[in-house]
Amino acid sequence: MATNRLTVNYYLHPTKLQDGTQRVRGRIIYNRQKAEFSTEYSCHAKEWLSKEGEFKKSSYLNEELIKQKGEIFKKKSQLEFEKQGITAKK
């Protein structure tokens, strides 16, 4: 029986914005299918923990990322309950 695994990670997009910051992006992986999305957040690379996928000193922004991740997992549960097909992009 296949496991329907969902992973959500955040990372800094390599392209710098005009102010020198980099956009925080999200990546959803579901059953080895990938979808990426942009968040409204950006920061300098020195303010980002790459391994953890979170801001170094902003607990508020980290909470916002956690809320966003929670919404993704909630949507997955809803789709499973409704017996709808799930992909990384849906």
Side-chain angles (χ1 to χ4, degrees):
M1 184 173 180
T3 303
N4 296 325
R5 183 177 168 139
L6 175 67
T7 306
V8 181
N9 297 312
Y10 294 99
Y11 66 96
L12 287 184
H13 191 275
T15 304
K16 290 187 179 181
L17 302 174
Q18 287 182 341
D19 63 0
T21 61
Q22 293 170 260
R23 178 74 59 202
V24 176
R25 303 254 314 154
R27 180 177 291 130
I28 299 169
I29 302 172
Y30 182 74
N31 289 343
R32 294 193 263 174
Q33 294 179 340
K34 179 173 67 170
E36 297 183 349
F37 60 94
S38 186
T39 70
E40 60 187 272
Y41 310 113
S42 64
C43 69
H44 290 93
K46 65 182 178 183
E47 301 167 338
W48 184 255
L49 296 170
S50 295
K51 187 174 181 181
E52 292 85 355
E54 63 184 31
F55 295 92
K56 282 185 181 177
K57 295 184 179 179
S58 179
S59 60
Y60 171 76
L61 292 177
N62 285 333
E63 286 177 21
E64 291 299 310
L65 294 178
I66 290 168
K67 284 181 194 175
Q68 192 174 55
K69 190 183 285 192
E71 288 297 317
I72 293 167
F73 279 92
K74 183 178 173 181
K75 183 64 174 177
K76 175 192 177 267
S77 295
Q78 178 184 358
L79 291 170
E80 285 176 337
F81 179 76
E82 295 172 358
K83 300 195 185 312
Q84 294 187 24
I86 301 173
T87 67
K89 295 182 180 188
K90 185 175 180 184

